[in-house]
Amino acid sequence: AAVTVWLGWLERIFPSTNQTLGRLCSKILFNQVCASPWLNGGFFGVATARNHDLTSSAGREQWLAAWGRKIQTDLPSTVCYSFAVWGPAHFVNFLFIPPHVRVLYTNGIFFAWTVFLSSVGYRPVAPQDDGKSFSGKDQQLGPVGVASVSVRGAQEAVGGAP
């Protein structure tokens, strides 16, 4: 139901009638900027909650800390991947798919996206790092084999200012 409401709302704000490339790109950008960080970050919250006892205060604090680390380490790259998947998918969706079939099309793409997001979301969160060390051999690989690097760690590795 939420996808139906969201896509209906987008259709009212950015109607498909007399679609221009600029309006289409604005619609896709608006959708991604508004939806991607919240939906993917929320998914990470659920994914990290499964490892914590949320009935105790200490468990909730540990969960919130783990969720924060998950968002810090994985959300930026996940949002970029989201743009890479959902940008073209919605280009087709908003340009060629009739509004009454868009939810079905979106759900097909969403299924594949959820498989990917699960692989990222359920990957263990690394312990808290001080952000000062950078060692390629100790880095965990990201969702497509790219090491996640803190900006400060990367700057120090190449001799830049912290």
Side-chain angles (χ1 to χ4, degrees):
V3 174
T4 304
V5 170
W6 177 253
L7 291 178
W9 187 77
L10 277 177
E11 187 61 28
R12 283 191 299 281
I13 302 299
F14 300 96
S16 295
T17 55
N18 300 321
Q19 187 85 273
T20 64
L21 184 59
R23 276 190 17 204
L24 176 63
C25 291
S26 296
K27 186 177 194 176
I28 292 168
L29 183 64
F30 182 83
N31 179 64
Q32 283 302 113
V33 167
C34 292
S36 182
W38 298 103
L39 292 174
N40 295 319
F43 186 93
F44 290 159
V46 172
T48 54
R50 79 189 191 329
N51 293 325
H52 297 87
D53 175 15
L54 301 182
T55 61
S56 73
S57 176
R60 286 189 297 273
E61 286 179 23
Q62 291 170 352
W63 165 61
L64 289 173
W67 186 12
R69 286 191 308 275
K70 187 71 169 170
I71 286 174
Q72 186 178 31
T73 59
D74 289 338
L75 188 62
S77 63
T78 301
V79 168
C80 290
Y81 295 133
S82 177
F83 270 82
V85 170
W86 286 104
H90 280 311
F91 186 85
V92 170
N93 190 23
F94 298 143
L95 192 60
F96 300 113
I97 307 294
H100 67 280
V101 187
R102 287 184 182 158
V103 172
L104 180 62
Y105 172 83
T106 301
N107 283 339
I109 305 297
F110 189 68
F111 177 79
W113 177 251
T114 302
V115 170
F116 166 76
L117 195 57
S118 294
S119 73
V120 176
Y122 289 102
R123 181 176 53 216
V125 177
Q128 184 127 12
D129 184 15
D130 62 5
K132 294 181 180 178
S133 63
F134 173 76
S135 171
K137 67 178 189 246
D138 296 333
Q139 289 292 319
Q140 285 188 316
L141 295 182
V144 291
V146 178
S148 58
V149 179
S150 72
V151 172
R152 185 177 357 175
Q155 288 173 333
E156 290 175 359
V158 295

